[in-house]
Amino acid sequence: MFDVVSSRVNFPDLDAEVLEYWKEQEVFRRSYDERPDAPLFMMYEGPPTANGSPGIHHVLARVFKDVISRYRTMKGCRVIRKGGWDTHGLPVELQIEQELGLSSKREIEEFGIAEFNKRCRESVFRYVKDWEVMTDRIGYWVDMEDPYVTLENNYIETGWWILKQLWDRGLLYQDRRGAPHCPRCVSSLSSHEVALGYRENTPDPSTFVTFEATEWLGGSAPDVPSYFLAWTTTPWTLPGNTALAVSEDADYSIVETTNNAGGTIRMALATALLEVLQGDYTVTQEVKGSELVGLSYRPLYDASKYGTPIRQFIANDDGQTSLEDVDAYSTKVVSADFVSMDDGSGIVHIAPAFGDEDLGLGREHHLAFVQPVDLQGVITGNYPFAGKFVKDADPEILADLESRGLLYHQGVYRHTYPFCWRCDTPLLYYAKTSWYIRTTAVKDRLVGNNSRINWYPEHIREGRFGEWLRNNVDWAISRERYWGTPIPIWQCDECGGMDCLGGVEELSQRCGKNLEDLDLHRPYVDDVTWPCPSNACNGAFRRIPEVMDCWFDSGMMPLAQWHYPFENRDIETDGRLPADYICEAVDQTRGWFYSLHALSTLMQDDIAYRNVICLGLILDGRGRKMSKRLGNIVEPDSILDTHGADALRWYLFTASHPGEPRRFSDRLVQQTLRQVLLTLWNVYSFFTNYANIDEFEPSQIPADWRPEAELDRWVLAELNQLVQVVDGHLDNYNPTDAGRRIAEFIDTLSNWYVRRSRRRFWKSEADADKLGAYATLYRCLTTVARLMAPLAPFVSEQMYRNLELRFNPDAPDSVHLTDYPVADPSLIDDAIMDATRLAIRVSSMGRAARSKAGLKVRQPLASVVVRTRTPDEAQYLDWVSEQILEELNIKTLRADGIEQDLYAQAQSAAGDDGDSVVAIDGYSAALEAGYMVAVDANITSELADEGLARELAHRIQNLRKGARFEITDHIVTYYQGPGDVERVMTGHRDYIMQETLSEALLSEPPAEDARSETAKVEGMEVTLAVRRVE
RNA sequence: GGGCCUGUAGCUCAGGCGGUUAGAGCGCAGUCCUGAUAAGACUGAGGUCGUUGGUUCGAGUCCAUCCAGGCCCA
């Protein structure tokens, strides 16, 4: 006997039962422990930061990771999926800063780095429990008992080893760059972090400033005051100006105009941008940018007069440049290729201490370097506006220039500007030293290796990711912060000598102490020092203060999760490198996808992953991005508690293709549940109910059984084709189309196979046809359960256990330990699939024809005429006529040539209206795409009686149902009504008794204990009643 | 400003190489069917397939332009 399956199912309860079963049976562990020789399939878990509760977008990534892993397991692989936690980084620090009420680095240091980092460490695991519960609940199988954790010493040590390799190869270097800098956090931000904080329509001063020329075209000093007109949105950088840049090939104009005081002046600016001039002017000369190059001008603020040190880029012997102190500086016009002719004046103010392009230009032309702003964004020196925060200094600088007649024009410019995503402070571009990995050295390999990665969707490879790689710049890996992997570089505080350490043992040797038990984090690692080994030097080696970008942490997980090379050296060859599969959302293109790719190209010159699904964003029901700020984040819990995990998973898989953004709402999940899972469940419930009544058991199916009945052959053809298609889709990392195809099959199975086969299950005799029906439906259900197991692991497990495991103690304990179904091509028969599709279509049209003519299906009709489009189809029609006649409740299918005639009549009656139903010649005819189905609208009294008999049987059935009788209960039926009822009850006695399991039809008032109902039936008042026979 | 993606019914989505009258589900209105079904069937309303051009005998599909939205980057 099968377990009784109620059609009322509570999926969340079912989930809990299955989870319990998996736990008892240790199914997940066994899915890899019990197949030591199976080929490996590596899934890398992109580590989440557990410093917040998981949201629905985390569920999305996790179920996509899971579905492929489960599929590969069923295909016979041993799937390694080690969990991981990302535990370092600014987000963690920010949270603790807020909790402690700290607002600057100074306050953190006063509070104490040791205690601060201790709080960071604790906070990271605060939400781990939530994550574990969610992960379990959605059926994501990942090893959470032995995860990799980026804060562990072993993990950090692998990072040190990697940096040491790069150091030895000259790929790790320190450089001064213009980097986005947050003056509140006093730290550079990575490009990834900058991206989080762009804000549109930020107003900034649009400032046109004049720089007075000390030399003019022709060489001598000008006779009238002459200026270069430059534009900036950051007046606070003007004290740092040491050059002006023009575009060599562009046209520039010298114009004559009057200044505010009414005097005549000359100005140079780009011809293309003359429109920025305010009043009347005359163009006196046109020149190329190249002719302006080399001309000198007076700085707006001569640094030597305002107490700001002056340095200058000097060429070294090795072709590099260094900054050296100088007493004075000259300022001149240089050429640069980045000068825009779209806005400004075509002459760009250059301050090497700030922008990165400016810095580059400074190096190239050996410009002076003036830095009048400190890292907190405060103006230094003795400028009139010294001591102010840069943005507050802006108006004062403008006023000062105005008073000196050097401000040509000012307005407001709205543009997109980056703010610190943590604290909303506007970022400053600030030239300072950072550590870099020279990824540009392997740029060609980055691009080349990328071509070997299978991206889903494919366009990411050459599009977003390829574009990013082709524009690769060196990776800034240092952060002037506290909670992160410390950079293992020590420097002598006297002579500046440097050393990079590649492991704890190496460090122990260097300092002469056993550091095995040292916490490798700050501040402890900062206490490790040793005397400078250089003979002439009395200094000490101290660690540089920076920690690493946490993207480096996650990018090194392929090696660090195994503590390579200190342990597990065999990962080089045993298939654990590279990953077969990773999956994250598209925002990881420049995050984890890149850091994995960059590090494996640098370290192994190989790809880090073979296949990657890049998920689109998950949007709310109105199509907006989910964010804490908008408060539209959907909590997975409420969805899981109402609809269960499979419904949520199924929805996420099938709603749209992985790369597309997807809208999410409770309603859509519920729709999925009803349409797919509930439909399947009801087929399953139907099957088990009747199988139990008939005492059918799987062992009754002969080993060499083949389907004979048309319906069976058809549905098994569909099933085997489904297996082929679904297997292909999953093999191709496409759960979306796999799920959609399964859903289609479930719909067909329920609404045609079972619908048309019901009588075969009901009938009392146990013949070969009935066994065939059971064997067929059994096979469909068990196969579908396995097919959908990777997508909907809970319901498929439940079905598997009841349908298969229960009867076969030798079967694997879980559907997830079974083999994925393999199609039997010999059962795939295109002809029968086409024929049945025709039957479904004709039936649909027949229903339309009946409906239009008011002929309800319960009323039998004499005949139907069908016109098909091709002779092949006429053949098929013959084949499936029985299905059609039964479905439409019609006696005969006429195929005596009448169809052509009727079709012509119907067409002319329909006129221009292509698809329609028309009444012609006693028929009601439906037309559609060249087909016609015409039903005979004539109802003889004999047919009418038969219809009434069915109507009465139907009413009796409803009474049975209302009285909650078992399907197999026998009854006595009472009836009272006019002569028509009496006649039909007598004339169709056998039919009605058989349909309703009545032992007697009594024309008398019902017994007291009978369930009774009086109603109008086709205009007649009829009383019907049923009583169960014990 | 640059790159990538997306625009098909009120909503969510299908529409292999261009080819009869562009489809499904949900929702709405109505009718019907049902002893598996919280389901299902039928009818109806709802589409200038984002715009404008082009290629073609023929374009939702191919090309170009523009518009709108999204993501990423400046």
Side-chain angles (χ1 to χ4, degrees):
Chain A
M1 286 275 282
F2 295 92
D3 257 350
V4 175
V5 176
S6 164
S7 64
R8 287 170 174 270
V9 56
N10 182 315
F11 285 107
D13 289 350
L14 182 151
D15 291 351
E17 196 184 324
V18 170
L19 282 172
E20 189 54 37
Y21 179 76
W22 287 345
K23 211 159 134 193
E24 265 168 35
Q25 296 285 330
E26 298 187 275
V27 180
F28 174 42
R29 186 187 56 74
R30 288 166 58 198
S31 75
Y32 55 87
D33 277 2
E34 289 180 359
R35 48 180 85 181
D37 301 325
L40 271 190
F41 184 88
M42 273 306 292
M43 200 280 295
Y44 286 168
E45 160 85 326
T49 310
N51 68 340
S53 313
I56 200 80
H57 49 299
H58 298 112
V59 174
L60 174 69
R62 281 170 121 62
V63 299
F64 267 88
K65 292 173 188 180
D66 188 63
V67 66
I68 300 297
S69 298
R70 284 186 191 267
Y71 168 70
R72 288 293 162 187
T73 300
M74 292 180 77
K75 293 294 277 187
C77 291
R78 184 161 166 256
V79 179
I80 297 189
R81 29 192 150 159
K82 193 176 172 77
W85 299 112
D86 195 8
T87 55
H88 285 148
L90 279 170
V92 181
E93 289 195 34
L94 175 66
Q95 195 168 343
I96 299 307
E97 270 187 68
Q98 282 174 343
E99 283 174 21
L100 295 173
L102 306 176
S103 59
S104 72
K105 283 174 76 174
R106 190 174 50 80
E107 287 180 24
I108 293 172
E109 289 179 20
E110 281 167 8
F111 177 80
I113 297 175
E115 182 61 22
F116 182 77
N117 275 358
K118 181 166 167 261
R119 303 281 182 114
C120 288
R121 179 189 287 268
E122 285 163 2
S123 82
V124 168
F125 292 103
R126 208 178 291 165
Y127 293 96
V128 162
K129 192 71 206 161
D130 286 0
W131 276 79
E132 285 176 348
V133 168
M134 177 276 274
T135 301
D136 206 43
R137 185 68 188 78
I138 61 172
Y140 174 40
W141 277 356
V142 65
D143 184 358
M144 287 186 292
E145 282 167 24
D146 181 28
Y148 66 91
V149 184
T150 59
L151 60 71
E152 287 177 353
N153 267 4
N154 282 350
Y155 198 91
I156 291 173
E157 192 178 26
T158 296
W160 284 11
W161 177 81
I162 291 171
L163 279 179
K164 165 81 168 171
Q165 304 297 307
L166 297 174
W167 172 268
D168 288 347
R169 288 161 58 195
L171 296 174
L172 182 59
Y173 68 98
Q174 193 178 23
D175 193 19
R176 185 185 301 273
R177 296 270 172 92
H181 173 87
C182 174
R184 193 215 68 93
C185 303
V186 196
S187 178
S188 306
L189 273 75
S190 68
S191 57
H192 174 84
E193 289 166 318
V194 175
L196 295 172
Y198 278 102
R199 230 185 263 165
E200 288 175 10
N201 269 325
T202 305
D204 265 316
S206 167
T207 313
F208 286 91
V209 193
T210 54
F211 289 81
E212 187 179 358
T214 54
E215 192 186 4
W216 202 241
L217 297 162
S220 56
D223 45 1
V224 291
S226 299
Y227 300 93
F228 298 102
L229 184 67
W231 180 69
T232 182
T233 56
T234 51
W236 58 271
T237 60
L238 289 170
N241 173 278
T242 63
L244 294 172
V246 295
S247 172
E248 274 187 313
D249 300 331
D251 294 321
Y252 286 80
S253 293
I254 312 299
V255 300
E256 219 164 70
T257 181
T258 49
N259 65 8
N260 292 343
T264 301
I265 57 165
R266 249 180 249 165
M267 280 199 299
L269 74 161
T271 306
L273 290 159
L274 285 172
E275 68 210 35
V276 305
L277 293 174
Q278 298 294 306
D280 292 337
Y281 63 88
T282 324
V283 175
T284 58
Q285 197 176 351
E286 287 217 14
V287 294
K288 284 284 175 197
S290 53
E291 294 176 64
L292 299 174
V293 170
L295 299 180
S296 60
Y297 65 93
R298 230 181 285 288
L300 299 176
Y301 297 95
D302 185 338
S304 59
K305 294 180 187 154
Y306 293 97
T308 301
I310 304 162
R311 285 177 285 175
Q312 187 161 0
F313 286 101
I314 306 291
N316 294 336
D317 297 341
D318 60 1
Q320 305 285 313
T321 54
S322 61
L323 270 184
E324 307 209 349
D325 292 334
V326 292
D327 293 333
Y329 65 116
S330 62
T331 43
K332 58 179 181 179
V333 177
V334 297
S335 97
D337 52 14
F338 56 77
V339 174
S340 160
M341 291 295 146
D342 295 331
D343 46 26
S345 63
I347 299 180
V348 177
H349 139 64
I350 300 294
F354 301 111
D356 192 47
E357 285 174 329
D358 303 36
L359 183 68
L361 213 58
R363 281 212 180 86
E364 191 183 334
H365 295 284
H366 303 141
L367 300 177
F369 183 94
V370 172
Q371 175 54 285
V373 176
D374 69 13
L375 286 168
Q376 279 79 40
V378 174
I379 309 271
T380 56
N382 50 30
Y383 301 91
F385 37 85
K388 297 263 177 188
F389 182 67
V390 290
K391 292 279 173 186
D392 301 325
D394 276 350
E396 298 194 22
I397 293 172
L398 294 176
D400 183 58
L401 292 173
E402 173 96 68
S403 71
R404 292 160 57 194
L406 296 172
L407 182 65
Y408 178 70
H409 174 69
Q410 65 164 310
V412 173
Y413 183 70
R414 291 182 177 273
H415 59 158
T416 309
Y417 193 82
F419 288 72
C420 179
W421 62 276
R422 321 167 53 214
C423 63
D424 276 349
T425 307
L427 299 181
L428 311 181
Y429 282 83
Y430 198 100
K432 60 183 184 179
T433 55
S434 297
W435 287 87
Y436 292 87
I437 294 177
R438 205 181 301 281
T439 51
T440 49
V442 292
K443 184 167 156 180
D444 291 347
R445 300 302 306 157
L446 288 171
V447 172
N449 283 337
N450 179 39
S451 66
R452 292 160 49 210
I453 299 171
N454 292 320
W455 285 90
Y456 304 94
E458 207 184 329
H459 62 78
I460 304 280
R461 177 171 46 226
E462 294 309 320
R464 188 172 289 199
F465 198 64
E467 206 54 41
W468 167 252
L469 294 179
R470 282 187 287 277
N471 294 318
N472 185 259
V473 294
D474 287 345
W475 182 358
I477 57 148
S478 58
R479 298 286 179 273
E480 303 108 290
R481 297 295 308 190
Y482 308 98
W483 181 237
T485 296
I487 295 182
I489 293 174
W490 271 257
Q491 182 169 30
C492 175
D493 54 12
E494 284 289 325
C495 70
M498 281 199 246
D499 205 357
C500 180
L501 283 302
V504 175
E505 204 182 313
E506 214 178 318
L507 185 62
S508 295
Q509 282 170 5
R510 202 61 49 104
C511 73
K513 290 183 207 138
N514 183 347
L515 300 178
E516 257 174 48
D517 298 323
L518 178 74
D519 177 351
L520 299 185
H521 286 97
R522 297 186 70 186
Y524 311 105
V525 70
D526 297 336
D527 295 338
V528 178
T529 62
W530 60 88
C532 179
S534 172
N535 285 336
C537 185
N538 291 319
F541 266 69
R542 299 182 190 283
R543 199 185 72 81
I544 61 169
E546 288 95 341
V547 298
M548 282 198 273
D549 178 8
C550 60
W551 291 103
F552 188 93
D553 282 2
S554 52
M556 71 189 183
M557 64 71 73
L559 302 178
Q561 69 174 332
W562 308 115
H563 192 211
Y564 177 90
F566 305 95
E567 295 174 68
N568 295 306
R569 296 202 70 124
D570 49 352
I571 64 168
E572 293 165 19
T573 51
D574 71 0
R576 282 186 275 180
L577 295 176
D580 290 291
Y581 171 60
I582 63 172
C583 168
E584 304 293 336
V586 68
D587 56 356
Q588 296 297 328
T589 311
R590 283 150 173 87
W592 195 53
F593 293 152
Y594 173 67
S595 61
L596 278 178
H597 187 65
L599 280 174
S600 76
T601 298
L602 284 163
M603 298 301 292
Q604 290 106 241
D605 188 21
D606 197 0
I607 54 176
Y609 39 89
R610 295 192 174 96
N611 301 282
V612 46
I613 292 182
C614 190
L615 297 164
L617 286 174
I618 191 153
L619 308 172
D620 72 7
R622 289 160 54 185
R624 299 173 307 174
K625 189 175 175 177
M626 284 192 190
S627 76
K628 277 185 188 153
R629 205 181 300 171
L630 283 172
N632 57 353
I633 294 190
V634 175
E635 297 287 334
D637 281 1
S638 63
I639 303 284
L640 289 164
D641 290 345
T642 44
H643 306 306
D646 284 337
L648 176 56
R649 290 174 63 115
W650 199 275
Y651 171 73
L652 292 175
F653 292 137
T654 56
S656 60
H657 283 108
E660 307 293 324
R662 70 204 61 223
R663 293 192 182 196
F664 186 87
S665 72
D666 186 280
R667 195 178 62 83
L668 293 168
V669 175
Q670 190 185 355
Q671 191 179 313
T672 292
L673 173 74
R674 294 240 283 248
Q675 228 165 305
V676 182
L677 297 178
L678 217 50
T679 306
L680 174 67
W681 189 265
N682 284 317
V683 174
Y684 167 55
S685 163
F686 171 87
F687 171 82
T688 50
N689 285 344
Y690 282 92
N692 282 345
I693 291 168
D694 284 326
E695 294 176 347
F696 166 81
E697 293 206 352
S699 58
Q700 293 163 16
I701 306 171
D704 57 351
W705 177 81
R706 303 276 297 179
E708 281 173 29
E710 231 164 69
L711 273 166
D712 297 346
R713 281 170 42 223
W714 161 72
V715 80
L716 288 174
E718 294 279 0
L719 179 73
N720 281 281
Q721 192 178 58
L722 178 76
V723 169
Q724 275 184 352
V725 170
V726 168
D727 191 37
H729 282 317
L730 286 180
D731 190 52
N732 201 31
Y733 295 86
N734 182 359
T736 305
D737 288 325
R740 286 177 178 176
R741 279 301 297 259
I742 293 173
E744 272 173 37
F745 178 80
I746 289 173
D747 185 69
T748 314
L749 180 69
S750 171
N751 288 322
W752 195 257
Y753 181 75
V754 173
R755 184 185 167 84
R756 287 273 33 90
S757 299
R758 270 180 299 200
R759 290 199 169 265
R760 300 167 66 201
F761 294 96
W762 295 340
K763 64 185 174 189
S764 44
E765 63 273 31
D767 54 11
D769 178 66
K770 190 176 202 173
L771 179 67
Y774 276 116
T776 302
L777 190 52
Y778 180 75
R779 192 175 286 189
C780 287
L781 287 169
T782 53
T783 306
V784 166
R786 290 193 194 199
L787 268 186
M788 67 193 294
L791 293 101
F794 295 95
V795 68
S796 51
E797 182 75 299
Q798 195 75 340
M799 288 173 62
Y800 168 79
R801 284 167 62 200
N802 193 21
L803 295 174
E804 289 195 65
L805 186 55
R806 188 178 187 82
F807 297 95
N808 180 4
D810 297 332
D813 287 321
S814 164
V815 70
H816 302 290
L817 298 173
T818 64
D819 292 337
Y820 208 63
V822 176
D824 178 350
S826 74
L827 289 173
I828 300 176
D829 177 344
D830 288 332
I832 201 163
M833 288 193 282
D834 288 346
T836 306
R837 268 176 219 126
L838 181 67
I840 293 170
R841 170 166 218 155
V842 167
S843 300
S844 166
M845 292 174 66
R847 276 191 295 262
R850 292 188 72 118
S851 170
K852 197 78 169 186
L855 301 163
K856 54 185 188 175
V857 180
R858 218 179 278 134
Q859 174 60 57
L861 299 179
S863 68
V864 59
V865 179
V866 179
R867 192 261 180 183
T868 58
R869 293 199 301 205
T870 65
D872 272 358
E873 286 182 328
Q875 201 79 38
Y876 287 157
L877 196 61
D878 193 38
W879 197 355
V880 293
S881 62
E882 205 174 314
Q883 289 182 45
I884 296 168
L885 291 175
E886 241 182 73
E887 180 65 24
L888 291 178
N889 193 19
I890 292 177
K891 301 291 182 193
T892 59
L893 175 71
R894 281 184 65 179
D896 47 10
I898 185 178
E899 61 269 20
Q900 296 308 341
D901 184 35
L902 268 183
Y903 182 58
Q905 285 186 49
Q907 270 195 314
S908 67
D912 291 336
D913 191 4
D915 294 356
S916 64
V917 177
V918 293
I920 35 153
D921 202 14
Y923 283 87
S924 174
L927 292 167
E928 185 185 295
Y931 295 97
M932 179 198 67
V933 177
V935 298
D936 186 343
N938 243 332
I939 299 170
T940 61
S941 62
E942 209 173 303
L943 288 170
D945 275 5
E946 212 178 318
L948 183 55
R950 286 186 66 143
E951 180 65 35
L952 292 167
H954 166 62
R955 302 253 171 185
I956 295 166
Q957 300 287 38
N958 278 349
L959 275 175
R960 285 185 59 119
K961 210 174 179 180
R964 296 180 180 240
F965 293 168
E966 293 300 317
I967 292 170
T968 47
D969 284 343
H970 284 236
I971 58 166
V972 172
T973 300
Y974 304 87
Y975 67 91
Q976 288 178 297
D980 284 350
V981 172
E982 186 67 51
R983 184 181 70 248
V984 167
M985 278 294 198
T986 317
H988 294 272
R989 181 171 208 88
D990 290 347
Y991 165 79
I992 293 170
M993 286 173 70
Q994 192 191 328
E995 282 294 300
T996 61
L997 293 186
S998 294
E999 294 192 346
L1001 298 181
L1002 305 175
S1003 176
E1004 57 190 62
E1008 294 244 329
D1009 56 348
R1011 186 177 181 91
S1012 157
E1013 184 190 75
T1014 303
K1016 289 263 182 195
V1017 179
E1018 289 174 9
M1020 301 173 286
E1021 184 160 298
V1022 181
T1023 298
L1024 292 168
V1026 296
R1027 181 173 60 80
R1028 178 155 50 193
V1029 179
E1030 300 303 334

